Amino acid sequence: MKIAIASNKGRVAEHFGHCEDFAIYDISVNKVVAKNVIPNPGHKPGFLPNYLNDLGVKVIIAGGMGKGAVDIFQEKNIEVITGAGGEIDTVLQAKLAGELVSDDSVCDHHHQ
């Protein structure tokens, strides 16, 4: 399973679409087997959810996210966790331990 975290300088990004990069973790038997950090390829409506889906991501974690992105992820059966914050590796460990819960932080406005 692949888990992606929207990040800025090793911390969870406050807004999914405006992050610097995505930390993508390959998980097997609840353990990290690989971690890749890829630059955000650009913020265009609808692009990032499809891009991450094409990479095989099954869970996305961010501080906040727009409703359109949430809807696309849900259509693709990708779990969305918002309201996260802190160091990305710590947040990942909380997810693997079953301690990370989404607070449904959905943005209803678009940042320019």
Side-chain angles (χ1 to χ4, degrees):
M1 172 176 62
K2 290 188 180 188
I3 298 175
I5 302 179
S7 64
N8 290 329
K9 296 177 180 46
R11 299 186 62 80
V12 177
E14 288 184 24
H15 192 277
F16 161 76
H18 298 280
C19 67
E20 293 172 358
D21 47 48
F22 294 96
I24 300 179
Y25 299 84
D26 287 309
I27 308 298
S28 180
V29 194
N30 226 28
K31 302 277 185 215
V32 176
V33 295
K35 174 184 174 184
N36 294 304
V37 178
I38 59 170
N40 182 341
H43 181 241
K44 297 175 282 205
F47 174 74
L48 289 172
N50 289 300
Y51 175 77
L52 293 171
N53 179 65
D54 290 347
L55 294 176
V57 169
K58 296 299 177 197
V59 179
I60 179 68
I61 300 171
M65 185 179 300
K67 183 176 180 341
V70 171
D71 290 345
I72 294 169
F73 280 125
Q74 290 176 340
E75 286 171 10
K76 298 186 176 303
N77 295 315
I78 295 172
E79 179 183 1
V80 175
I81 299 174
T82 55
E87 298 284 332
I88 59 175
D89 291 338
T90 302
V91 169
L92 176 72
Q93 291 307 314
K95 168 61 178 156
L96 295 178
E99 300 167 354
L100 189 62
V101 179
S102 183
D103 75 353
D104 299 321
S105 291
V106 176
C107 303
D108 58 4
H109 59 278
H110 191 83
H111 297 281
Q112 294 302 322

